[in-house]
Structures are given as C-alpha cells and as structure tokens.
Amino acid sequence: MRLRLATFNLENLDDAPDLDPPLEARIAVLRPQLLRLDADVLCLQEIHGQRGPDKGPRRLLALDRLLEGTAYAGYHRVSTTSTGDHGDEPWVADLHNLVVLSRFPVAESHEVKAELVAVPTYRLTTAEPPAAEAEACAWDRPLLHVTLTLPNGHPLHVINLHLRAPTAAHVPGQKAGAFAWRSTAAWAEGYFLAGIKRTAQALEARLLVDRLLDAEPEALIAVMGDCNAEERETPLRILMCETADTGNGALAARSLVPLERSLPRDRRFSVIHKGRPVMLDHILVSRQLLGHFRRFEIHNETLSDETDPATHVEYATESYHAPLVAEFALP
C-alpha cells in the first residue's frame, strides 16, 4: 500500500473583505501545490479561523474554500481549537490553527500543551518597570496528536507541530517601535525567552513520542510541521535523540529520523532567509516507519526570500515555506 505524508505551512491562510491579496488570488497558487502533493495525510500550519455571516462559531472557512473541489475536501479533518469559553460547540482559534487532513479514519485525537512539560517561570532582568517576580514563560501553540487507522488495521501516529519562531519575545517597556529594541540587553533577553518557549515545545513533542513508544515499541510515528529550526539546532536534537547525543546504542530504536537526509544537501531547504536556504520544516519518523520509506520531496522551486523587503508582506500570495511529502510502501 502506498502512503504519502505531507506537511505545509500555508502562511496566514485567511479570508476577509479587505485582505490583500484576496483569498481567490491565494487559492490560484496554493491549490495546485496541494494537488501536487497527492497526500493521504496532510498536516497544515497557520490556518486562521473566520466567523460566517450568521456570526456563529469561528470555523475554518478559508480552508474550506481552498480545498473545494479537491479530494482533500472529503478527508477526515482534525484541528486545534480555541482555548476560550465558547459554550458547547468548540471554536477554532482566530490565528495559527494546526490541521490534519486524512484519507484514513481518525481513531483518536488530542491537543497537548503544557501537559507533559511544566511551564517554566522566569523573572525578567531588563523589563521597564523592573519585574517584581518571576512569571510563567508559556508558549502559544499546542501539539496536535492524531491516531489514524490504516487499511491494514495498524495505527499511524501523526504529530503536527509549529514551534515558536526564533524572534525575540516581548519584554515590557523595551520596544522602540514595531521591530526596534531600546537596548541590546533587552533584545538578548527576549531572544533567550523565545528559545525557552521553542525548546519546551520540542521537549513536549519528544516526551509524547517516548510515551507512544513505551506503549507500542514498534509504533509508526511521524512528527511533521514547521519546527523553525535546522537539524543541528537544539529543538531538532531534542526531537531526534540520536545515539551521538544520548551516548547509548540501546536507545537507537527510539530516535526519530529527519527524512530530508535522503536528498542531496543542495536540495535540503524549505525556506529562504536573508538569501540563505534553510531547512525549517521537517518530517521525522520512527525507525519502524523508516523501514517502509521510499522517497522524499521538497517542493521549493518557487520560494522567494521571506526577508526581502521587495516581496515580503504579512499576507503573501504564496507561502514562504515549501511543502514536504514523503512516500512509504506499507504491507
């Protein structure tokens, strides 16, 4: 059986009357990219929620329009939800929802946030006015764990994640404008805070993987999404837990493998940042799933530089991320 797993950060997918470019322009570019993936399971990031004319619950209306007329429109769907109190019917968040679309039925789904990792506390050094005490250093987005039932009856565990970007977190009283900081010390502390948040998210994903392997040593696991980190950065090293880091060969079967390693180095990039190709999006798989791996693709032919002032806008027609797809042959 052929199995294709894909991930794509759609970059602020939204729909509003004054949106520039309008959703129709984005659909003309993004829908062919989704069709090219030909995915059985598709993880999406940065999917915004909208309220319809009836002012009912916030839903994924922009995504509905993007998927209209494609096979994905009929797929099983799981998304993250809003943390607010909206009564009996769950709402999606207004910004940056995670979505999993699957050809296969969903056996179980679970959002994980600060469940396996306690939120650390930290007292800011550079805040104005000075911080009186330590405060929670929480992160914004949960992980989305979805268990799918494959046609052969085996479970497939998919973890969709979007780790925090490595941009300095807020420090009270230390911004001189939208992007300008009042001091190098304040920017450094904000960047340190962002690192804590991103690393905690990666650790929670790793602990979730270990929990799954404890229960099912031969589990088929795929961790997919926008990690905002390259392979040798701390979040990826935490996710992979390679023997070179653990120093224990007996743990090798519990490591995750980044599938971009199957490509030549000059093809391993999903974003262009300040003229440099970087691999920030990843598909990492358990050793058991790796045994069925056949090929990997990064559709990065049309990427533009996410930092180029001539092309960068908050709502771009294209995504600044390339979609990834991995193909497997399962019994």
Side-chain angles (χ1 to χ4, degrees):
M1 181 194 80
R2 189 202 73 161
L3 170 67
R4 285 174 68 86
L5 306 180
T7 181
F8 193 9
N9 182 332
L10 291 180
E11 201 87 48
N12 296 313
L13 184 73
D14 203 356
D15 189 16
D18 56 349
L19 203 61
D20 184 22
L23 180 59
E24 289 80 2
R26 299 208 67 197
I27 288 175
V29 173
L30 294 175
R31 187 180 287 165
Q33 290 183 281
L34 295 179
L35 293 175
R36 180 185 176 190
L37 290 171
D38 190 22
D40 299 298
V41 180
L42 176 58
C43 290
L44 300 173
Q45 301 88 43
E46 294 198 22
I47 310 299
H48 294 358
Q50 302 80 32
R51 296 183 69 184
D54 60 355
K55 302 301 181 183
R58 192 184 297 115
R59 294 171 289 164
L60 301 176
L61 302 179
L63 181 63
D64 289 340
R65 290 184 59 191
L66 173 62
L67 302 181
E68 188 176 320
T70 73
Y72 301 115
Y75 277 22
H76 302 277
R77 180 191 296 184
V78 181
S79 72
T80 49
T81 55
S82 171
T83 56
D85 183 10
H86 301 297
D88 295 334
E89 188 169 357
W91 291 35
V92 298
D94 55 344
L95 302 175
H96 286 199
N97 292 282
L98 301 172
V99 177
V100 175
L101 302 170
S102 172
R103 186 189 304 275
F104 313 114
V106 175
E108 187 179 357
S109 64
H110 184 208
E111 295 179 47
V112 182
K113 182 183 177 186
E115 179 181 319
L116 306 179
V117 174
V119 175
T121 59
Y122 176 77
R123 186 174 68 84
L124 289 163
T125 300
T126 62
E128 292 292 344
E133 57 186 11
E135 296 183 357
C137 188
W139 47 98
D140 299 327
R141 292 179 289 267
L143 311 170
L144 181 57
H145 171 215
V146 179
T147 304
L148 305 172
T149 303
L150 297 174
N152 59 14
H154 291 171
L156 171 66
H157 298 280
V158 173
I159 300 172
N160 186 358
L161 78 174
H162 185 185
L163 304 188
R164 194 193 195 285
T167 54
H170 175 68
V171 177
Q174 287 292 0
K175 293 297 286 290
F179 302 102
W181 288 80
R182 296 187 183 279
S183 71
T184 52
W187 174 86
E189 187 166 41
Y191 191 75
F192 167 72
L193 284 175
I196 292 175
K197 296 169 185 279
R198 184 174 58 152
T199 302
Q201 284 180 284
L203 175 59
E204 188 152 58
R206 178 66 240 185
L207 296 182
L208 175 57
V209 168
D210 277 315
R211 177 176 287 187
L212 294 173
L213 290 172
D214 288 342
E216 187 184 352
E218 297 188 347
L220 304 178
I221 303 172
V223 178
M224 304 191 285
D226 179 1
C227 297
N228 271 310
E230 295 190 270
E231 182 180 316
R232 295 317 301 166
E233 293 185 79
T234 299
L236 262 292
R237 291 179 66 177
I238 288 173
L239 286 169
M240 292 187 295
C241 280
E242 295 187 291
T243 303
D245 287 322
T246 66
N248 186 348
L251 298 176
R254 300 178 75 89
S255 64
L256 295 179
V257 181
L259 295 182
E260 69 262 19
R261 287 180 177 174
S262 64
L263 296 181
R265 289 191 180 275
D266 63 350
R267 292 291 299 152
R268 299 180 200 172
F269 66 95
S270 63
V271 171
I272 301 175
H273 182 81
K274 294 184 178 180
R276 187 171 75 92
V278 291
M279 192 72 196
L280 302 185
D281 305 83
H282 301 272
I283 297 178
L284 304 104
V285 299
S286 62
R287 290 299 186 98
Q288 190 69 17
L289 186 54
L290 182 67
H292 305 287
F293 173 62
R294 294 299 177 264
R295 65 191 182 110
F296 185 71
E297 304 167 11
I298 307 174
H299 298 169
N300 51 20
E301 300 92 342
T302 62
L303 281 179
S304 57
D305 194 321
E306 67 170 355
T307 61
D308 185 348
T311 59
H312 182 85
V313 293
E314 182 178 3
Y315 292 95
T317 304
E318 301 178 84
S319 174
Y320 293 115
H321 291 255
L324 321 177
V325 61
E327 186 168 311
F328 304 83
L330 294 174

